[in-house]
Amino acid sequence: MAALQKSLHCRRLVLLCLLVADLWEAGAGQIRYSVPEEIDKGSFVGSIAKDLGWEPLALAQRGVRIVSRGRAQLFALNPRSGSLVTADRIDREELCAQSARCLVNFNILLEDKMTVYSVEVEITDINDNAPRFGVEELELKVSETNTPGFRIPLKSAHDADVGENSLQKYQLNSNEHFSLDVRSGADGNMYPELVLERALDREEEAVHQLLLVASDRGDPVRSGTCSIRVKVLDANDNAPVFTQPEYRVSVPEDTPFGTRILTVTATDPDEGYNAQVTYFLEKNPRETSKIFELKSTSGDITLIKSLDYEDAKFHEIDIEAQDGPGLLTKTKAIVTVLDVNDNAPEFYMTSVTSSIPEDSPPGTIIALFNVHDRDSGQNAFITCSLPEKLPFKLERSVDNYHRLITTRALDREQISFYNITLTAKDGGNPSLSTDAHVLLQVADINDNSPVFSSKSYSAYIPENNPRGASIFSVLANDLDSDGNAHVTYSLAEDTLQGEPLSSYISINSDTGVLYALRSFDYEQFQALQLWVIAQDSGNPPLSSNVSLSLSVLDQNDNVPEILYPTVPMDGSTGVELAPRSAEPGYLVTKVVAVDKDSGQNAWLSYRLLKASEPGLFSVGLHTGEVRTARALLDRDALKQSLVVSVQDHGQPPLSATVTLTVAIADSIPDVLADLSSISPPDADDSDLTLYLVVAVAAVSCVFLAFVIVLLVLRLRRWHSLRLLQAAGDRLAGVPTSHFMGVDGVRAFLQTYSHEVSLTADSRKSHLIFPQPNYADTLISQESCEKKDFLSEPQSLLDNKGEKTPQQAPPNTDWRFSQAQRPGTSGSQNGDETGTWPNNQFDTEMLQAMILASASEAADGSSTLGGGAGTMGLSARYGPQFTLQHVPDYRQNVYIPGSNATLTNAAGKRDGKAPAGGNGNKKKSGKKEKK
């Protein structure tokens, strides 16, 4: 067995070498090879590099590849050797069935030249299939009445191979009753028939077993067998006969299921049961039985599966007719499938470019594609088209290949993107079409210069501009894209008044904004001409320029300059003469002035600002002429001083002044005699008005601040009064004697630091009197004692003779601010701790008490210590005077209208004079007078 396989392999190699054909046919441009089927994967088929005249490495660099249409690739290219090899197992019977020649066509593409070569490979047959019968055992019924020479058709065998490898002969085992006769049909096939050589005798042998062998002539020879069982019957000596030896019918491929396409008929001359014919489809390995159905009684053939012209163009149906006893006859029905235009064209994009520079020349290849239609005839005739008005066209190549090329140069600025629709239309009726889309991006090149929005620009800038001020902005657009459209700005080199232009103006290279590098002066130059350059970032870069006229606008920055009269260089004063006999309108002199500005800023007007004799002279508003306004009188002074103001019309206006001295005399000697008495004018007079204005403004501000402060104080005292009125209602019924004793003055002057908690809506009030402070009181410390005035309702000074067993040390840090010092009711201010009275009414009431006591002491009607301890005030104020009206005075108190002064012990201790006395009284009187 191993030797047989080795011999078979050697024969295959020899056959491979013998079947390699010529690769090129003259003028055909096609490469042909031949290869046997069933060879190993990667087996050599032919040398593509040699046949194309290229070295294998050069062929790989040119991008050679195989292009096929939708089928499995059977062959491959070896990039190293440039040879064509098999890519998979090849089965000739699967590809071409029973066709005499099996050809496989595909194309080879060279990428660099977009060139296509057609390759045709013939698949040669090997004997890999044995003949096969449709059934393994065949049963025949033969009547014993049949005479020798009676023929019985047998089942045919099928061999998928072709040529010598196909079915070649039949053999029947030797027996004495039957022989085998092989008949050749019109289609070239062999049909075996069993021939009766000797009459049968059912009583002698009822069943005969035969073996039919079908073999081919391949190497090695393959064969198939069928067992025949012959049963001997009686009296049936006629087999059915078909009305036609062969049936043919044409059916469109779109015929629906269940359609009857053909009816076969067979007749039997016998009668009765022997004449009953039944129809059968002969079983075979093909798929015919899966497509068609044969009615056994009627012989109708119907479709049970759709037809497809692209799969099979015709079908052969083997039909058997058998009578009742079992005699049969055969016929064949050939069904031709008619093509219907049911397949639209199909696109196969071989190579396509997605981007192309806009400067590509006409004829540039955009895409290479193939169009194929599975239909045939006119239905497979394809025409390709493009939309109109596109800069592209189609060129047809071999084997339905087309090239999409440009017809003219492209412009990205007009159209940057193309969606090209390719339409393939077949020739069927109705026609079918397919669209394919090619997306093409036009790549930009730097073919457009920047373009300014205007042909020229003009800008204006006021003089005295700040450095770095923005002057103007220019903008240039570039129709290109990306880096080719990035514009940068610059200024052309130039000079202005001997200096480079870059020292005056700069430009932002990205935004195009111009900036002033210095302050411009209209009096130096009025206009500036410069060129702005815009350049893109392409390679090479493109640029354009535009002119900019920059005009400097005048501002009123120059004071009028007085040309006449001029101040003498020797320090003397210029004098103008006017005779006493001058009539009104007499021209005394003329003030001449100029302004370096222009326009309205240089329009000057003259006014008489000041004159020693008002109404005597007048100044022309626009001429500057100084004339007499009336006749000169004898009382008019000899020397007249005039101050003339020259003012321009700018915003704001600027002015200058000149002082004129006019001498009035009837004769020249009189004037000369008085010249020595003429002195220069006082320069400080012009500043007097300014000082007055400043003083008035300062006084107004001080007055306004005073009014505001006074209003705040009034509101604060009004608020305090409302809080204390609610608390005062609780103490109104307490007798005065509970708070004032015989020594009322001492009790009144004694200092207490107290804290009052009073609420308007509460029934309880709490007063706390901590340790008294005797540092700055006017009475003895021995007479003071800490008492709880709420728990012991007694007089404050009833125990004046008692000495306190213990005294608190003096508080040396006790101070009062200036606001806490006593004074008139209008000057009293309370502190934040509540120890100083905040009620204006209470303060005035206390001052009235002090004044009344002082008056009584001065008249000798009362003393400070008399009057039952009420200080002589009980009759005047009665019980309404309570502790809440007693303030805490800790400074010297001066009582107006009295010679009594309450001195401060601390002040004496510090060596300070008392605040009372006549001297202080006079001084206070002076202040009040002011």
Side-chain angles (χ1 to χ4, degrees):
M1 187 65 181
L4 181 60
Q5 291 181 352
K6 183 176 182 181
S7 174
L8 178 60
H9 183 67
C10 293
R11 289 186 180 185
R12 287 182 178 179
L13 294 179
V14 172
L15 182 60
L16 175 63
C17 296
L18 293 177
L19 293 179
V20 175
D22 295 335
L23 301 179
W24 292 90
E25 292 185 2
Q30 191 175 43
I31 304 174
R32 288 189 173 90
Y33 298 102
S34 179
V35 62
E37 65 172 332
E38 300 296 338
I39 62 175
D40 296 334
K41 179 180 179 181
S43 299
F44 175 82
V45 178
S47 178
I48 296 296
K50 179 180 178 182
D51 296 334
L52 295 180
W54 294 88
E55 292 295 329
L57 294 179
L59 194 64
Q61 294 175 355
R62 298 190 62 177
V64 62
R65 60 188 175 96
I66 294 177
V67 180
S68 62
R69 292 191 297 265
R71 64 175 61 183
Q73 187 59 258
L74 301 177
F75 302 95
L77 285 174
N78 190 328
R80 295 184 178 179
S81 62
S83 59
L84 183 68
V85 298
T86 58
D88 201 351
R89 184 184 70 86
I90 302 175
D91 188 356
R92 182 188 183 281
E93 288 73 32
E94 183 180 350
L95 293 176
C96 304
Q98 294 294 113
S99 299
R101 297 186 65 189
C102 183
L103 301 177
V104 176
N105 295 296
F106 56 93
N107 300 300
I108 294 180
L109 171 67
L110 293 180
E111 288 279 359
D112 59 340
K113 288 188 175 181
M114 295 291 183
T115 304
V116 179
Y117 295 92
S118 180
V119 179
E120 181 181 272
V121 179
E122 180 180 3
I123 308 301
T124 60
D125 183 51
I126 64 173
N127 192 21
D128 58 339
N129 292 283
R132 293 184 181 180
F133 290 90
V135 294
E136 296 181 358
E137 184 176 0
L138 178 65
E139 182 177 340
L140 300 176
K141 296 179 181 180
V142 181
S143 176
E144 61 181 353
T145 60
N146 291 333
T147 60
F150 178 75
R151 294 176 175 268
I152 304 174
L154 300 177
K155 298 284 186 180
S156 298
H158 297 276
D159 195 339
D161 298 325
V162 296
E164 294 293 328
N165 297 326
S166 64
L167 177 63
Q168 297 296 326
K169 64 179 179 178
Y170 290 93
Q171 290 179 347
L172 187 66
N173 62 325
S174 60
N175 63 87
E176 58 182 1
H177 291 283
F178 298 95
S179 65
L180 183 65
D181 185 19
V182 180
R183 181 173 58 86
S184 297
D187 55 357
N189 294 330
M190 294 185 297
Y191 298 95
E193 294 181 350
L194 190 63
V195 181
L196 183 61
E197 296 291 337
R198 181 181 174 185
L200 298 175
D201 187 357
R202 189 185 62 82
E203 289 74 21
E204 190 176 313
E205 187 176 1
V207 177
H208 298 270
Q209 293 290 342
L210 304 177
L211 183 63
L212 180 63
V213 179
S215 60
D216 57 20
R217 294 181 182 176
D219 187 13
V221 176
R222 293 180 179 271
S223 61
T225 61
C226 177
S227 178
I228 302 174
R229 184 172 180 269
V230 181
K231 184 177 181 181
V232 181
L233 300 177
D234 290 335
N236 188 23
D237 54 353
N238 292 292
V241 178
F242 284 97
T243 58
Q244 296 180 15
E246 188 176 81
Y247 293 88
R248 292 183 177 270
V249 66
S250 298
V251 181
E253 62 175 325
D254 59 349
T255 303
F257 301 155
T259 302
R260 182 180 61 84
I261 62 173
L262 180 65
T263 299
V264 296
T265 304
T267 60
D268 195 322
D270 295 328
E271 293 181 354
Y273 177 73
N274 296 330
Q276 294 181 0
V277 179
T278 306
Y279 303 94
F280 301 97
L281 287 176
E282 184 180 0
K283 295 182 180 180
N284 56 62
R286 295 175 292 181
E287 295 185 357
T288 303
S289 59
K290 298 180 181 179
I291 300 175
F292 303 98
E293 182 182 19
L294 177 62
K295 300 295 183 179
S296 61
T297 57
S298 63
D300 293 338
I301 301 176
T302 58
L303 284 175
I304 61 174
K305 185 179 180 182
S306 61
L307 300 175
D308 192 354
Y309 174 84
E310 288 71 34
D311 290 342
K313 297 177 176 56
F314 64 91
H315 296 275
E316 293 183 358
I317 306 174
D318 294 326
I319 303 173
E320 296 178 349
Q322 184 177 355
D323 59 14
L327 294 179
L328 58 85
T329 185
K330 291 185 177 182
T331 189
K332 180 178 292 186
I334 300 177
V335 180
T336 302
V337 182
L338 301 179
D339 183 40
V340 176
N341 191 26
D342 59 344
N343 291 281
E346 298 176 359
F347 280 91
Y348 297 94
M349 286 295 173
T350 304
S351 179
V352 63
T353 300
S354 61
S355 179
I356 182 174
E358 61 178 321
D359 61 344
S360 299
T364 302
I365 299 177
I366 304 300
L368 176 67
F369 61 92
N370 177 267
V371 183
H372 175 69
D373 197 314
R374 297 179 59 194
D375 297 323
S376 62
Q378 187 66 23
N379 295 334
F381 181 76
I382 301 174
T383 57
C384 294
S385 62
L386 286 172
E388 297 180 356
K389 299 181 181 180
L390 286 181
F392 307 100
K393 69 176 182 178
L394 293 173
E395 285 186 353
R396 191 181 183 92
S397 183
V398 297
D399 198 13
N400 276 338
Y401 274 89
H402 295 77
R403 293 190 183 95
L404 176 64
I405 63 175
T406 59
T407 58
R408 57 179 171 84
L410 305 179
D411 189 356
R412 189 205 66 83
E413 286 68 39
Q414 293 184 359
I415 301 177
S416 61
F417 180 79
Y418 289 93
N419 187 357
I420 307 169
T421 301
L422 305 174
T423 302
K425 186 177 182 181
D426 60 22
N429 187 15
S431 178
L432 299 179
S433 63
T434 303
D435 292 339
H437 298 276
V438 176
L439 305 180
L440 180 63
Q441 184 77 33
V442 181
D444 181 53
I445 64 170
N446 192 26
D447 57 346
N448 291 278
S449 302
V451 177
F452 286 94
S453 58
S454 179
K455 294 182 179 180
S456 62
Y457 296 95
S458 58
Y460 301 89
I461 182 173
E463 65 171 334
N464 303 321
N465 59 283
R467 294 183 180 181
S470 175
I471 301 175
F472 193 69
S473 176
V474 296
L475 178 64
N477 295 318
D478 197 311
L479 297 179
D480 296 323
S481 64
D482 299 331
N484 296 330
H486 180 70
V487 180
T488 57
Y489 302 91
S490 61
L491 295 177
E493 295 293 336
D494 200 355
T495 58
L496 178 64
Q497 295 183 352
E499 296 184 14
L501 182 63
S502 58
S503 64
Y504 288 88
I505 295 178
S506 68
I507 187 171
N508 190 310
S509 61
D510 294 326
T511 62
V513 179
L514 286 87
Y515 299 94
L517 298 181
R518 62 173 62 182
S519 180
F520 294 152
D521 190 354
Y522 177 84
E523 287 70 36
Q524 291 183 0
F525 60 88
Q526 290 78 36
L528 177 62
Q529 187 75 21
L530 51 91
W531 289 89
V532 180
I533 301 174
Q535 179 175 299
D536 59 26
S537 301
N539 188 14
L542 301 178
S543 63
S544 61
N545 52 33
V546 68
S547 63
L548 173 63
S549 298
L550 181 63
S551 300
V552 181
L553 300 179
D554 181 49
Q555 285 188 332
N556 191 25
D557 58 343
N558 290 281
V559 179
E561 181 180 356
I562 300 176
L563 303 179
Y564 183 84
T566 59
V567 179
M569 301 301 294
D570 56 357
S572 61
T573 305
V575 178
E576 302 292 339
L577 300 179
R580 285 189 176 274
S581 60
E583 297 180 355
Y586 175 80
L587 178 62
V588 177
T589 184
K590 182 177 182 179
V591 178
V592 180
V594 295
D595 197 315
K596 293 182 181 180
D597 297 323
S598 64
Q600 186 175 350
N601 296 329
W603 297 351
L604 302 180
S605 59
Y606 302 85
R607 291 179 178 82
L608 182 60
L609 188 64
K610 183 180 179 182
S612 57
E613 185 66 34
L616 180 57
F617 297 97
S618 65
V619 177
L621 180 62
H622 301 293
T623 62
E625 296 177 348
V626 180
R627 297 179 180 271
T628 57
R630 60 176 175 80
L632 298 177
L633 303 178
D634 294 337
R635 60 181 175 83
D636 293 333
L638 173 63
K639 183 185 68 173
Q640 297 291 333
S641 178
L642 306 178
V643 178
V644 179
S645 171
V646 182
Q647 180 175 304
D648 57 25
H649 287 72
Q651 291 296 332
L654 301 178
S655 63
T657 58
V658 62
T659 302
L660 302 176
T661 301
V662 181
I664 302 174
D666 290 334
S667 61
I668 300 300
D670 294 340
V671 175
L672 296 177
D674 295 333
L675 286 179
S676 59
S677 64
I678 300 175
S679 59
D682 189 3
D684 295 335
D685 292 341
S686 60
D687 298 333
L688 180 60
T689 302
L690 178 62
Y691 295 154
L692 291 176
V693 172
V694 173
V696 171
V699 171
S700 300
C701 294
V702 172
F703 176 74
L704 181 61
F706 173 76
V707 172
I708 293 174
V709 172
L710 183 61
L711 181 61
V712 172
L713 293 177
R714 290 287 183 181
L715 291 175
R716 182 176 181 182
R717 290 172 181 172
W718 173 78
H719 180 68
S720 301
L721 178 62
R722 290 188 61 187
L723 294 177
L724 292 176
Q725 282 178 353
D729 294 340
R730 302 288 299 172
L731 302 176
V734 180
T736 308
S737 59
H738 291 180
F739 298 95
M740 279 291 182
V742 178
D743 298 331
V745 175
R746 285 191 301 171
F748 167 71
L749 295 176
Q750 186 176 357
T751 302
Y752 287 91
S753 296
H754 59 274
E755 178 181 350
V756 182
S757 298
L758 299 176
T759 57
D761 56 351
S762 176
R763 295 183 179 182
K764 296 181 180 180
S765 300
H766 181 61
L767 279 77
I768 301 174
F769 289 86
Q771 186 69 28
N773 193 335
Y774 304 100
D776 292 314
T777 58
L778 301 180
I779 61 176
S780 175
Q781 298 177 0
E782 297 177 357
S783 62
C784 296
E785 182 181 3
K786 183 177 180 182
K787 295 288 184 178
D788 188 352
F789 294 96
L790 297 181
S791 60
E792 298 179 3
Q794 295 179 2
S795 176
L796 295 176
L797 298 178
D798 288 344
N799 298 325
K800 66 176 182 177
E802 297 180 4
K803 297 185 180 290
T804 58
Q806 185 178 356
Q807 295 181 354
N811 186 3
T812 59
D813 293 335
W814 189 83
R815 294 291 187 269
F816 273 97
S817 64
Q818 185 65 27
Q820 295 171 324
R821 296 183 182 274
T824 62
S825 62
S827 62
Q828 298 297 327
N829 294 322
D831 58 5
E832 296 177 357
T833 61
T835 60
W836 192 259
N838 294 326
N839 195 325
Q840 180 182 0
F841 176 78
D842 297 341
T843 307
E844 292 177 351
M845 194 173 192
L846 180 60
Q847 290 178 354
M849 292 167 55
I850 298 174
L851 291 175
S853 300
S855 298
E856 293 175 358
D859 294 339
S861 62
S862 177
T863 61
L864 291 174
T870 60
M871 200 179 173
L873 302 178
S874 60
R876 186 181 299 268
Y877 295 99
Q880 286 79 11
F881 183 76
T882 60
L883 183 60
Q884 61 177 337
H885 297 103
V886 181
D888 186 6
Y889 288 98
R890 302 186 182 184
Q891 301 294 331
N892 296 334
V893 179
Y894 165 68
I895 303 175
S898 173
N899 54 6
T901 302
L902 302 180
T903 60
N904 191 336
K908 293 180 181 180
R909 184 173 57 252
D910 296 337
K912 296 181 181 180
N918 296 330
N920 291 340
K921 181 178 180 181
K922 293 181 180 180
K923 187 178 296 185
S924 302
K926 289 183 181 181
K927 290 183 180 180
E928 293 176 358
K929 184 177 182 180
K930 288 184 180 180

